[in-house]
Each structure stands twice: as C-alpha cells, then as structure tokens.
Amino acid sequence: RKEVEQDPGPFNVPEGATVAFNCTYSNSASQSFFWYRQDCRKEPKLLMSVYSSGNEDGRFTAQLNRASQYISLLIRDSKLSDSATYLCVVTNDYKLSFGAGTTVTVRA
Amino acid sequence: DTGVSQDPRHKITKRGQNVTFRCDPISEHNRLYWYRQTLGQGPEFLTYFQNEAQLEKSRLLSDRFSAERPKGSFSTLEIQRTEQGDSAMYLCASSQNTDTQYFGPGTRLTVL
C-alpha cells in the first residue's frame, strides 16, 4: 500500500467552478501536511500547509482529519491558471512522502 | 535568484556511463534532500543531509548511487554504470530546520 493515495483525476472543470479532491495517508505518526502544485515538466511548488483546524489561502481551502487520516483541498472560482497537478504530501522525520498527484484542468 | 539551483537541467547519456548532478540549496538552509520522480508518479525520497552529514538513505538508492555534501553547502549526486531504469527527473530540495522544503528545477536524465 502506498503511503499517500490520491485520486488521479483528471478533474475537468469550467472557469469559475469549485473543485475538491482529497488524499489519504497510511502513517498515523505523520507530522506535517502540505499541498504542492506541479506544472508539466516543472518542479513541485508549495501551495499551502494543512492544519487540523482547516486553513484558507485566497481561493484555496485545505482541511486535515487526523482521525480518518484524510486531507482535502478545495479550489473556489477556478481560474485557467489553476490547471496543474496537485500533490498531497506528508512528512515523517523531515522526509516528504508524495502522492502521485491529482490532475486538474480548468477550461474556458 | 536565491532559490535552489540544479545543474545540468538535462542530461542524455548511454547505458553504462557515469553521470553527476549538482545542487546548490538556498544559502542559509542547512538541510538538503534528493528525490527522484518518474512519469505519472510523485517524487520519491532518495537521501537527506543535515549540513555535511548524510543522515538517511532510501532503499531506492542502490550501490550505484552516491551523494555528497562536502562543505555543507552544495551537493552532488553521482550515478555509476547508468541503466535505462535510472531515467527520471532528479529533484533537489532544501529547508532550514522546518518541514517546508523548496525544490530546484530538477535534472532530467535520459539513459539510452
């Protein structure tokens, strides 16, 4: 079983729509949680950290459920520039474990 | 540009050749990481340095792979006797005593 499992998508949504997806992780001792964004053939870039209390960064909302070992990301008012692969990431002893990514395509 | 840099950006080599990649972390960052990413997968951890000490190596890092960070600044990753299965993007990341890691642009290796 992979340490981080994600729905690969693709999620194909129109501009302005809301899209949400999630991931699950297997190691209950995981310490920190992140969403990274990766554009085609580029490096991953930190989108946001994820906290149990839930947190927002503009149009992006992330949520962590430690009991269910579940992390979610919601994108409101989608823009064409949101098209990317979103990587769910957990840390164990400073080592990042990545999911395979969820692909989102926003169409005009 | 004060981000993580990697060199070369692309490398094409023949099977059996040795290759070496370089990573320059963000200057004040004491931790440096190497990851490997293949198509359709997320990056996979290879190894981790705190200053010049290599503290952890993944089982993915076979005997043909070696990494160094001699002065606690830049790092090199060498692959000896390359195989076609080594074709991947090799990513370097750095951090300063936190879990937040910043990635370089990667070195894309193609082994023919």
Side-chain angles (χ1 to χ4, degrees):
Chain A
R1 182 184 173 188
K2 289 187 177 180
E3 188 163 353
V4 181
E5 301 266 13
Q6 287 186 252
D7 180 349
F11 289 81
N12 190 328
V13 300
E15 270 188 294
T18 296
V19 58
F21 43 89
N22 57 68
C23 76
T24 57
Y25 61 95
S26 60
N27 187 346
S28 60
S30 296
Q31 296 123 359
S32 301
F33 308 87
F34 305 93
W35 284 102
Y36 276 72
R37 170 198 169 120
Q38 187 170 31
D39 295 302
C40 187
R41 302 180 75 84
K42 301 283 191 180
E43 75 273 23
K45 292 189 176 177
L46 179 65
L47 180 66
M48 59 196 302
S49 302
V50 188
Y51 307 109
S52 296
S53 54
N55 49 301
E56 282 189 17
D57 183 358
R59 298 179 293 104
F60 298 83
T61 301
Q63 186 75 49
L64 165 66
N65 184 321
R66 281 190 181 267
S68 302
Q69 295 178 205
Y70 169 101
I71 306 164
S72 65
L73 181 67
L74 182 146
I75 307 173
R76 285 185 303 278
D77 188 22
S78 301
K79 311 291 185 192
L80 294 175
S81 57
D82 295 333
S83 297
T85 296
Y86 292 85
L87 299 165
C88 179
V89 183
V90 306
T91 65
N92 297 290
D93 298 327
Y94 309 116
K95 192 170 61 211
L96 300 185
S97 295
F98 287 80
T102 297
T103 299
V104 173
T105 302
V106 181
R107 64 182 188 273
Chain B
D1 186 348
T2 56
V4 179
S5 61
Q6 291 187 246
D7 184 70
R9 297 290 304 277
H10 303 274
K11 178 72 177 178
I12 299 174
T13 191
K14 293 183 179 178
R15 192 165 45 124
Q17 297 295 304
N18 299 343
V19 295
T20 300
F21 309 143
R22 177 179 170 126
C23 170
D24 287 88
I26 294 170
S27 59
E28 65 269 22
H29 285 185
N30 62 340
R31 293 180 181 159
L32 187 148
Y33 310 80
W34 285 98
Y35 293 83
R36 180 172 69 188
Q37 185 174 24
T38 54
L39 198 61
Q41 300 299 316
E44 295 174 293
F45 171 80
L46 293 179
T47 190
Y48 154 53
F49 291 85
Q50 180 152 322
N51 300 311
E52 64 275 11
Q54 187 173 19
L55 297 187
E56 189 168 345
K57 291 171 62 172
S58 164
R59 289 170 296 171
L60 293 175
L61 218 61
S62 76
D63 291 345
R64 297 184 296 105
F65 288 71
S66 61
E68 294 183 342
R69 195 183 183 197
K71 298 182 180 178
S73 56
F74 73 92
S75 174
T76 58
L77 177 68
E78 182 183 15
I79 309 173
Q80 295 183 327
R81 305 182 302 283
T82 51
E83 301 173 357
Q84 287 184 324
D86 297 331
S87 295
M89 173 80 91
Y90 289 84
L91 291 160
C92 176
S94 70
S95 71
Q96 176 64 11
N97 292 327
T98 73
D99 288 343
T100 304
Q101 297 181 21
Y102 298 91
F103 284 81
T107 294
R108 187 170 295 280
L109 173 66
T110 302
V111 182
L112 301 176

